Amino acid sequence: MKKWLLIIIVLLVCLGGLALPAAIGWWIEDRATQAVAENRPEADLEWHRGWFRSNAKIRSDEVDLDLQFRHFSMQPPGWLAVNGRALLREPLASVDFSAHLDPTGDTVLNASAPSLEVPGDVAWHYRRPEIDLNIKRDSGIDLSGRAERLFILDAVGNRLVLDRPDLAAEWHEISGPGSPASDRGESNAIQTGARVQLTIRASRPDQPASRLDLAITNIDPATLEQLLAALRQIGTSQAGSAAAGLGAIGAASAWQQLAAKGIQIRVTGLELDGQLMLSGAFLPQTNRLEISGEGAESTLLDWWAIVLGLTRRLPPEQARQMARIALDELSAGRESAIERDRRRNHIMIDFDTAVSR
């Protein structure tokens, strides 16, 4: 009797294992069909479901998708893996991607393209961009991206070229007690919200590397979602329209809520062309801006002029002139915390000031 019971159990396990890939295939088809119907009801969906593999084609005005699913994947190991290609209409690009749901419940995605062009008043041209995304079950997200070269340019002559731009970002939601009590019996207050850790590295042609380390803390996720939704509305609306105006009001309101809830933005390190090092913080709740550092004045003017030109659409010569005038005014102020040594092309910055609303 025990022998037959053992055989039955083994058979049931084998049958369950064989049925699992088919069940995963049915589940992903059901979810995908529902998602397309809700988000792109005008899209055409063609699905071919097999026992261990499924194929799908999605055609819409914005994108064409060709997908190949592997149910209960062994390489890479996981419940589900997908490879595919997306042909985007705007921006025009062909993106190859792969993703899988691993045994721990994390989702891992890789996407790459030969090139990517994002048009606009300021155009972004990526050569061989690639991103990796890891969405963790514990509410954490890791994002990394890189490209062979990035061109940022506008119609009035401003141009920023970056070699080997590289980005690494971490998002982590905090809910519950802070760090454990110290040896003296002290404990931290309850922490909620989220934090973002961001590192960007790149080099201008024939220049040493530049680097930005940024930390954003005390983020309220729900309010951040409202801010992003308002910014999307602005981006998809015609300039000057009522929809764009409502989006701007929504964005301002969301930002005020983030500030009231204590969001903090800290630049733990900013190195430009290996010649200028800065650090600082913006504390919206108290409306304070802190910046300190030192380095080559010419490097500061180079980057300041580029940012002014691209953001305000000023010709390069006018942008540099405005940057120089602004620096002169800051260093000539009564309570200036900017010291300049023009003979050595050196500048020192150390100030704490209120930011006008």
Side-chain angles (χ1 to χ4, degrees), residues 26-43 45 47 58:
W26 174 86
W27 176 81
I28 190 64
E29 180 183 2
D30 179 70
R31 291 300 180 91
T33 302
Q34 182 178 347
V36 171
E38 291 177 355
N39 298 289
R40 291 289 185 271
E42 77 286 355
L45 173 62
W47 200 281
I58 302 173

Side-chain angles (χ1 to χ4, degrees), residues 232-249:
R232 283 195 297 269
Q233 181 174 342
I234 295 172
T236 56
S237 303
Q238 184 177 0
S241 65
L246 290 173
I249 294 172

